[in-house]
Amino acid sequence: MLPLKHPELPIFLAIASNGKVGFRSMSSPITEESLTCKLQEQLNATIVNVTDVSGGCGSSFDCLIVSEMFEGKSLMQRQRLVYKTLSEEMPSIHALMMKTKTPNEYQS
């Protein structure tokens, strides 16, 4: 997605490569806490560690997500699930590094 700032409104316009258009308010910045809460709630994650690696501007994050919802899913399926969960935030995120594990994998 390509984020574009609207010249008159405090929003970003995001246009995906498939032609879908989305909006994101600039008044709700992306933070470690906001991503952590969303991932915990939507993925029923038992462990979520999100670190802003962009120097505080909220454009790059490193994540560890442990969830039973990853059980039986390939790495790509897990990542797609995370991207779908964060679909509203992704137009404003430059980079998202993630480790996705089941509870058993995390304890090993």
Side-chain angles (χ1 to χ4, degrees), residues 1-16 20-26 90-92:
M1 287 199 171
L2 174 65
L4 302 170
K5 184 181 182 304
H6 189 283
E8 299 172 13
L9 300 173
I11 61 170
F12 280 101
L13 171 66
I15 304 171
K20 287 189 176 182
V21 177
F23 297 94
R24 174 148 183 86
S25 169
M26 289 174 25
M90 287 311 297
S92 300

Side-chain angles (χ1 to χ4, degrees), residues 16-88:
S17 59
N18 65 1
K20 287 189 176 182
V21 177
F23 297 94
R24 174 148 183 86
S25 169
M26 289 174 25
S27 62
S28 56
I30 300 171
T31 64
E32 294 172 349
E33 293 79 18
S34 66
L35 293 179
T36 298
C37 287
K38 190 163 193 179
L39 291 166
Q40 283 176 330
E41 290 173 10
Q42 304 261 332
L43 298 177
N44 294 324
T46 54
I47 297 172
V48 177
N49 293 327
V50 178
T51 304
D52 184 340
V53 293
S54 64
C57 71
S59 64
S60 298
F61 295 92
D62 189 11
C63 305
L64 167 66
I65 307 155
V66 179
S67 173
E68 289 183 2
M69 291 180 73
F70 297 144
E71 199 71 51
K73 292 187 173 28
S74 69
L75 179 60
M76 186 173 287
Q77 289 170 323
R78 294 174 185 193
Q79 291 178 346
R80 285 182 180 152
L81 190 56
V82 172
Y83 284 128
K84 183 177 179 180
T85 300
L86 300 178
S87 62
E88 292 178 3

